[in-house]
Amino acid sequence: SRPKPRLVMAAQLKETGNDYFKKGKYTAAAAAYTEAITLSQGPVDVALFTNRALCYSKLNQWADVVADARKALELDNSSVKAHHLLGKALIELGDLKGGMATLTKALSLSSSSSSTWRTDIEFQIKAAKKKEWEQQRAEFVTRAAATRTFLDEAVAAWRQHTNNPAAVQASETHHRWLLELLDEKTRDHKKEDVPEYLCCPIKFCLMHDPVTTPSGQSYERSAIEQHLKVNGNWDPVSRAPLTRSQLYSNLALKSAIDDFHERNPWAISE
């Protein structure tokens, strides 16, 4: 029999990689995509690089994700998947600003507000903002503690080197004012309580992609869909019959959640 053309073999290897990926065999899937890339003639199918990058992301090989995502973008700079994977990998590697900028680009390229990619990208941006907030919070706590120690020591030293009661009193007054300002700034960094109506009654945390049932109860989409899949077609709060087709996106609630998250980046649940 005649040998198969390289492009046919590459296409078959791509399908093999897809099958491995569906089975959770990410290393084998990545190897299949690599063979397909090697056999490709002319321009390489951009999906081979994004698919392999997705495998690497499942294996936490973030440097490899960056390399493949960038190769994909050289072939197609409008690839939402490539921008998404690149942004996520950059964040995992510690480049929060670069990662968020890339994810924002991916979001702008994602035209369908109901697409899975868009929902995932929005979540990744929020997760990155949470990491940024946590870093800034840690830095502030360290600086605040150092500043408080410095002020206490400075005032104590001033008391020892002056016999002027008025000067001592003035320094203590300014010391107290500065500490009050520091306390006020510390309160600004405290976590705001999450309103109950913004929380999913299944996951008990701030929702990201809220949906509402015909009875008016709202849930995190993934949580209620998992409930329906595992437990059957009924509303876990009202106990009324419920199917997945009856769920609808609650855009007003999502807007309120997004507004709360902008003020409280820490609130997202991983």
Side-chain angles (χ1 to χ4, degrees):
S1 61
R2 296 176 57 189
K4 294 180 180 178
R6 291 167 64 92
L7 289 179
V8 173
M9 293 177 64
Q12 291 176 341
L13 284 165
K14 178 182 177 182
E15 291 305 314
T16 299
N18 293 346
D19 290 338
Y20 277 134
F21 185 89
K22 291 174 184 176
K23 295 174 183 177
K25 298 179 179 180
Y26 305 123
T27 300
Y33 295 136
T34 298
E35 286 190 65
I37 291 169
T38 302
L39 288 171
S40 297
Q41 295 175 321
V44 180
D45 180 359
V46 66
L48 291 173
F49 285 116
T50 55
N51 287 0
R52 190 170 67 173
L54 187 57
C55 292
Y56 289 145
S57 74
K58 296 293 185 180
L59 297 168
N60 295 323
Q61 297 176 208
W62 300 111
D64 292 325
V65 175
V66 169
D68 270 4
R70 284 179 170 157
K71 288 175 183 175
L73 291 172
E74 289 175 4
L75 296 169
D76 179 9
N77 193 45
S78 64
S79 171
V80 174
K81 186 176 180 180
H83 278 100
H84 180 198
L85 289 168
L86 177 59
K88 183 177 180 180
L90 289 173
I91 289 168
E92 291 292 339
L93 291 171
D95 183 3
L96 284 177
K97 288 187 177 180
M100 283 194 285
T102 306
L103 288 173
T104 301
K105 174 70 173 177
L107 189 63
S108 68
L109 291 170
S110 178
S111 58
S112 175
S113 60
S114 62
S115 71
T116 301
W117 277 118
R118 187 175 183 86
T119 300
D120 290 345
I121 293 166
E122 289 176 342
F123 183 85
Q124 291 298 329
I125 291 174
K126 289 180 178 179
K129 288 181 178 180
K130 177 181 179 179
K131 286 187 177 182
E132 185 179 48
W133 182 89
E134 288 172 340
Q135 287 183 0
Q136 292 173 349
R137 167 68 175 172
E139 291 171 0
F140 172 80
V141 169
T142 299
R143 290 198 302 268
T147 301
R148 185 178 292 274
T149 299
F150 172 81
L151 291 172
D152 291 344
E153 292 176 350
V155 170
W158 175 252
R159 290 196 194 102
Q160 292 178 353
H161 290 84
T162 182
N163 295 318
N164 186 334
V168 171
Q169 184 177 2
S171 69
E172 290 178 346
T173 298
H174 285 84
H175 178 222
R176 186 178 69 254
W177 289 346
L178 288 170
L179 291 180
E180 288 174 354
L181 288 172
L182 192 60
D183 289 339
E184 183 178 343
K185 190 65 177 177
T186 300
R187 285 193 295 273
D188 290 342
H189 280 74
K190 285 187 177 180
K191 296 180 178 180
E192 181 181 344
D193 290 337
V194 181
E196 186 175 348
Y197 77 97
L198 300 182
C199 293
C200 173
I202 296 176
K203 297 180 68 177
F204 302 106
C205 61
L206 184 70
M207 289 181 280
H208 168 65
D209 184 19
V211 293
T212 301
T213 69
S215 63
Q217 180 63 52
S218 295
Y219 299 96
E220 175 63 29
R221 184 186 298 277
S222 61
I224 186 61
E225 288 182 348
Q226 180 67 12
H227 163 81
L228 296 176
K229 180 180 179 180
V230 174
N231 301 310
N233 295 327
W234 50 277
D235 188 319
V237 172
S238 70
R239 302 289 173 172
L242 177 67
T243 63
R244 184 174 177 178
S245 63
Q246 291 177 293
L247 301 173
Y248 62 92
S249 297
N250 191 327
L251 299 181
L253 182 57
K254 179 170 174 54
S255 178
I257 291 168
D258 289 345
D259 181 64
F260 180 85
H261 183 265
E262 281 298 314
R263 301 193 311 274
N264 301 275
W266 56 266
I268 189 172
S269 176
E270 300 289 349

